Amino acid sequence: MDTLIKNGKIVSAQSTYTADILIRDEVVCAIGTNLEHTFSLKEETRVIDATGKYVLPGGVDVHTHMDLQAGPCRAVDDFYDGTVAAACGGTTSIVDHMAFGPKGCPLHHQLQEYHGLAKGKAVIDYGFHGTAQHPMTAEILDELESMIQDGVPSVKVYMTYDFKLEDDEILSVLKRMKELHGVTAFHCENHQIVEANRKKFPQEGKTGPYYHAKSRPNLAEAEAVRRILYLAKLAEDAPVYIVHLSCKESLQAVEEARAMGQKNIFVETCTQYLTLTEEEYKREDGLKFVMSPPLRTKQDIDYLWKGLENGEIQVVATDHCPFFFEKEKQLGKDDFTKCPNGAPGVEERMILLYSEGVVKNRITLNKLVEVACTNPAKIYGLYPKKGVLQPGSDGDLIILDPDKQHILTKSDMHSAVDYTAYEGVLVTGYIEMVMQRGHMLAKDNQFIGEKGAGQFIFRKPTT
Ligand code: URP
Ligand code: ZN
Ligand code: ZN
């Protein structure tokens, strides 16, 4: 069915203008005025009046962990529940970070596994990032090329956790990915510092969730960011993408590297690092916020918002990785080191960026589209199919009421988890309608899409 959206204020990364959009055969067919006179509309065309509303490209969240196996725990949202939550929150594409596989497994082991997890379940379009794990062998370095041939031109490296890579392994991945024009993403934390604290604090009786934050200080992250930037420089400015950057010192490291002329550095932060502080860990339910890196301070938050506005940060994602507060998170009730890391957020990202960012004048609406839609799509090879509204792009969009206020609360959310990290937050702005490829996904916070309708996004190298 054709869809004609009339009189909306269409927002791109560069401009905002009033026009109509015609979606035909799942793609944007035309943007302009009086389209009904230029194009012969079929009788059954769906016409939507968007007067006074914003029309944004569907959100692109390039950092989620659906159905993630993390040690003994499995993230609560599978590819159905997690993508329903995404859809209702205005995100129409995800690129999911696959879990570590069994020791020594090839990269395709996880790719095959994840195709199985997502197919028939995902309600929005999806891609995967590869996961590079220790040991990094010549065979696996070779396999990076066939991953790209299979639509996966990005790979994530962890500098902490069990299967973290050593610096020499990191260098070899960076060099190979540069040859292949792919992107290497990094979880940056200094493993030795973090592990020493995780041993020491419980011995000193420091077992509460606040010590989770203290065990992973800003400088442990910033040191790892600096190291990655040096390694990337050694690899002749190999592309690096820093995931979930959370603090001032880390962003300063990036700014200094860029000022020295280093190219191909991409930075992502996440909604939670822009909105929540380490004070949350002092709450009775502080375990809800145990994630890595941890929440930081108001000073860090201010620095990150500035980094978005001045272009030092390219992407806002979520790192959506929920565990039940009443179940898995309680593993950490006597010792934060036993608490699974991660929190929900895929549903809240777009509206919080609007309410906390645009309404509070920290970023423009065009910047929101840039960092939540266009840039992630460009960096990771989804653009111009995704991340933009222009003729030929997929008909993925959001209609946003700019003034309607509501309070975020778990009972209105769609993730299968038992909490939102933003309970009770008053937001301005309301996502009225969400479409994917011209099909209605969500309306007035009700999911009305179809299980399994999400398609694998075959991405191409971009750098
Ligand atoms: O605590 C987090 N972030 N869990 C998800 C895995 C990761 O490190 O991205
Ligand atoms: Zn991470
Ligand atoms: Zn993550």
Side-chain angles (χ1 to χ4, degrees), residues 413-460:
M413 300 271 164
H414 298 80
S415 161
V417 78
D418 55 356
Y419 73 98
T420 166
Y422 307 96
E423 185 69 39
V425 172
L426 173 69
V427 289
T428 300
Y430 183 70
I431 295 172
E432 261 189 17
M433 198 179 282
V434 185
M435 281 192 170
Q436 174 133 71
R437 288 181 271 106
H439 305 287
M440 200 77 92
L441 269 184
K443 195 167 180 242
D444 285 331
N445 202 33
Q446 300 299 312
F447 174 67
I448 49 174
E450 196 188 318
K451 188 169 185 177
Q455 297 177 355
F456 176 64
I457 307 167
F458 191 101
R459 296 180 295 123
K460 299 216 175 87

Side-chain angles (χ1 to χ4, degrees), residues 68-76 161 198 212 287-292 321-325 327-333 335-343 419:
L68 179 87
Q69 187 68 43
C73 300
R74 195 153 186 114
V76 175
Y161 302 148
R198 283 166 68 80
H212 167 73
L287 288 168
K288 286 178 178 170
F289 306 91
V290 170
M291 63 183 79
S292 297
C321 187
F323 298 97
F324 285 117
F325 175 63
K327 202 170 157 207
E328 289 93 353
K329 287 284 187 187
Q330 296 305 320
L331 292 169
K333 75 179 175 356
D335 177 354
F336 72 86
T337 67
K338 305 285 188 301
C339 181
N341 280 207
Y419 73 98

Side-chain angles (χ1 to χ4, degrees), residues 156 158 187 244:
K156 181 175 182 185
Y158 289 85
H187 173 128
H244 52 43

Side-chain angles (χ1 to χ4, degrees), residues 312-442:
E312 294 287 356
I313 299 177
Q314 282 67 52
V315 173
V316 179
T318 63
D319 201 8
H320 179 83
C321 187
F323 298 97
F324 285 117
F325 175 63
E326 294 295 350
K327 202 170 157 207
E328 289 93 353
K329 287 284 187 187
Q330 296 305 320
L331 292 169
K333 75 179 175 356
D334 299 321
D335 177 354
F336 72 86
T337 67
K338 305 285 188 301
C339 181
N341 280 207
V346 75
E347 189 164 0
E348 297 92 329
R349 177 183 70 137
M350 295 297 281
I351 203 61
L352 281 170
L353 277 177
Y354 182 74
S355 187
E356 291 294 310
V358 179
V359 176
K360 294 193 175 169
N361 285 321
R362 287 152 147 167
I363 56 170
T364 63
L365 187 53
N366 307 102
K367 177 59 81 172
L368 183 157
V369 167
E370 185 186 328
V371 298
C373 312
T374 313
N375 279 348
K378 280 186 175 169
I379 294 167
Y380 279 124
L382 296 82
Y383 184 89
K385 191 174 155 69
K386 307 292 187 188
V388 64
L389 289 170
Q390 64 183 31
S393 299
D394 280 359
D396 296 359
L397 56 83
I398 302 170
I399 299 182
L400 178 97
D401 179 334
D403 303 316
K404 187 168 164 182
Q405 295 192 313
H406 64 290
I407 289 175
L408 297 179
T409 184
K410 170 57 210 161
S411 57
D412 291 341
M413 300 271 164
H414 298 80
S415 161
V417 78
D418 55 356
Y419 73 98
T420 166
Y422 307 96
E423 185 69 39
V425 172
L426 173 69
V427 289
T428 300
Y430 183 70
I431 295 172
E432 261 189 17
M433 198 179 282
V434 185
M435 281 192 170
Q436 174 133 71
R437 288 181 271 106
H439 305 287
M440 200 77 92
L441 269 184

